[in-house]
């Protein structure tokens, strides 16, 4: 229920702000607005004020503003010409069309600084030097020769100061050969690494982790760890004959089979032994004992000026990543399987809502920025396509023919339908797997 409500709230805010942009610009320009709808399809309920039907429609995956004389070839009475969209100067029409995505960009620009002023919680390791705590066996980093204890100082020409910069460098360069500089035992070592491409996000990952002490944070009810008597704060030091110094080592030893295992746990200065048999989990497709890791977090709240700066930097970074992904999809660098649709958005919204208000606002800001930018792309059906038609009209000196507009719209609709089919397939494939 939380997931569904969060999805409706997030989507509703994005749609409302977008359509409010079109509505406000139309009203300001003297264009009549017949309908302001959140959702598509049959009208559920609404209210009529000032000649506009403000309504909620059955399908909540979008919205629209219906203006007087908006459709090509639409008959408009003589008394309605002054309020007709198509009879307004081309600059006015372009401004009305652009107002929707611009409002989404404005929402993101307002929310991002607000998020930093409210305060954000981050894993403490992100601000620490990029010292390798674990290199996943057979992962890109391990294959490249990176070892535990190495400190990565540069990726290509970029100087690496902390883990956040390192993970970002890998994420933005999937399947790309990267020159890595690192410190090992006081000496500089240089090597090449090719990050794998994530099937979930399309971004690159190298299979490296920071230091992660195998310290238990929570015990899941009904799982073997609770039944055996493990407690939050316990530190697992060995499983069977294998010592454990990193959480990833612990996972490797637990996940692989359901055999009974001897756990050695440090608690209050003493070492205790437990016999635990992992339980298979269908969702994770792995054996689990029901524990989560304790991770050091830092809470940071920024002043107004700092929040504006951090918000702007984050917005620029998000924009750069979006265009990098678009470019990667076109060039075949990223797989189309990484694209997600409404189901993925609902899942992320649900998780964000459970985590807290700041995470939910961050998701809204991120999606609003994406929606604004993508809608400005010069693709028929999208707002950017309509703006392109306005530009062509200015250059040509006359509007495009109804036939050209109709064919362009059909092509745009076909592209959108194909994209929706693809992301729906991807969403369902993830659910089934």
């Amino acid at each position: 229920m939380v997931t569904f409500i969060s999805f409706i709230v997030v989507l509703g805010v994005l749609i409302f702000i977008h359509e409010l942009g079109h509505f406000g610009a139309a009203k300001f320009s003297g264009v009549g607005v017949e309908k302001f709808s959140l959702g598509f399809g049959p009208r559920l309920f609404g209210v009529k004020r000032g000649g506009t039907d403000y309504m909620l429609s059955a399908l909540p995956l979008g919205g629209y503003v219906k203006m007087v004389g908006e459709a090509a070839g639409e008959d408009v009475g003589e008394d309605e010409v002054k309020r007709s969209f198509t009879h307004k100067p081309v600059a006015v029409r372009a401004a009305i069309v652009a107002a929707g995505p611009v409002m989404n960009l404005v929402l993101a620009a307002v929310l991002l600084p607000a998020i930093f002023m409210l305060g954000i919680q981050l894993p403490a390791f992100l601000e620490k030097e990029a010292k390798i705590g674990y290199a996943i066996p057979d992962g890109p980093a391990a294959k490249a020769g990176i070892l535990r204890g190495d400190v990565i100082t540069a990726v290509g020409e970029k100087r690496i100061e902390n883990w956040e910069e390192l993970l970002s460098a890998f994420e933005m360069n999937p399947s790309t050969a990267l020159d890595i500089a690192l410190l090992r035992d006081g000496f500089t070592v240089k090597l090449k690494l090719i990050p794998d491409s994530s099937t979930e996000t399309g971004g690159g990952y190298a299979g490296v982790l920071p230091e992660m002490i195998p310290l238990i944070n929570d015990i899941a009810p009904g799982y073997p760890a609770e039944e055996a008597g493990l407690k939050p704060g316990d530190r697992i030091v060995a499983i069977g004959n294998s010592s454990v110094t990193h959480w990833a080592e612990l996972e490797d030893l637990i996940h692989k089979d359901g055999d009974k295992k001897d756990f050695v746990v440090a608690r209050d200065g003493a070492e205790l032994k437990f016999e635990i048999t992992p339980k298979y989990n269908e969702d994770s497709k792995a054996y689990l004992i029901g524990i989560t890791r304790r991770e050091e977090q830092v809470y940071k709240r920024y002043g107004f000026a700092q929040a504006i700066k951090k918000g702007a930097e984050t917005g620029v970074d998000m924009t750069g990543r979006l265009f990098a992904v678009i470019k990667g999809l076109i060039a075949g660098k990223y797989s189309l399987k990484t694209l997600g649709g409404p189901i993925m958005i609902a899942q992320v919204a649900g998780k964000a809502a459970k985590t807290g208000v700041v995470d939910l606002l961050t998701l809204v800001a991120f999606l609003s920025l994406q929606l604004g930018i993508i809608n400005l792309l010069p693709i028929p059906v999208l707002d950017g396509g309509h703006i392109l038609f306005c530009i062509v009209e200015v250059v040509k000196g006359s509007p495009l023919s109804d036939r050209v507009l109709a064919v362009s719209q059909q092509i745009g609709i076909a592209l959108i339908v194909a994209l929706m089919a693809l992301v729906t397939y991807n969403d369902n494939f993830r659910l089934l797997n």
Side-chain angles (χ1 to χ4, degrees), residues 95-154:
I96 293 172
V97 172
V102 167
M103 280 293 287
N104 285 122
L105 298 178
V106 169
L107 176 62
V110 171
L111 285 181
L112 288 173
I115 289 164
F116 286 102
M117 282 190 282
L118 287 172
I120 58 175
Q121 201 165 30
L122 299 169
F125 79 86
L126 288 175
E127 296 185 336
K128 296 180 180 179
E129 67 175 1
K131 183 177 181 179
I132 306 302
Y134 187 77
I136 296 173
D138 297 324
K143 291 178 181 177
I146 292 177
L147 305 175
R148 178 183 292 191
D150 289 346
V151 178
I152 297 181
T153 57

Side-chain angles (χ1 to χ4, degrees), residues 363-383:
L363 176 63
V364 172
F366 175 66
L367 292 176
S368 190
L369 183 69
Q370 284 193 329
L371 183 61
I373 292 173
I374 291 174
N375 254 291
L376 287 172
L377 296 178
I379 300 172
V381 176
L382 299 182
D383 293 325

Side-chain angles (χ1 to χ4, degrees), residues 233-293:
D234 287 349
R235 177 172 178 171
I236 299 175
V237 296
I239 299 177
N241 296 322
S242 302
S243 61
V244 176
T245 59
H246 195 280
W247 188 269
E249 295 173 332
L250 179 152
E251 290 183 332
D252 287 342
L253 293 168
I254 293 175
H255 290 181
K256 62 183 179 181
D257 59 57
D259 296 340
K260 183 181 292 184
K261 296 173 173 57
D262 295 320
F263 283 69
V264 179
V265 173
R267 180 191 297 171
D268 299 328
E271 287 193 351
L272 308 176
K273 293 185 178 180
F274 301 85
E275 283 189 347
I276 304 176
T277 302
K279 172 183 177 182
Y280 189 73
N281 181 278
E282 286 290 343
D283 293 334
S284 301
K285 304 297 182 186
Y287 289 92
L288 307 175
I289 64 170
I291 58 176
T292 61
R293 179 174 61 87

Side-chain angles (χ1 to χ4, degrees), residues 97 101 323 326 329-330 370-391 404-405 407-419:
V97 172
F323 279 108
I326 293 173
L329 289 170
I330 294 172
Q370 284 193 329
L371 183 61
I373 292 173
I374 291 174
N375 254 291
L376 287 172
L377 296 178
I379 300 172
V381 176
L382 299 182
D383 293 325
H386 293 292
I387 294 171
L388 177 62
F389 295 153
C390 290
I391 295 172
V404 171
L405 290 174
V407 171
S408 299
Q409 294 288 73
Q410 290 170 359
I411 292 173
I413 291 171
L415 289 172
I416 296 300
V417 170
L419 179 62

Side-chain angles (χ1 to χ4, degrees), residues 205-229:
Y205 71 95
V208 288
L209 299 171
E211 295 177 340
M212 294 180 177
I213 298 172
L215 192 66
I216 297 175
N217 187 57
D218 286 317
I219 306 291
Y223 270 81
E226 181 189 50
E227 297 168 1

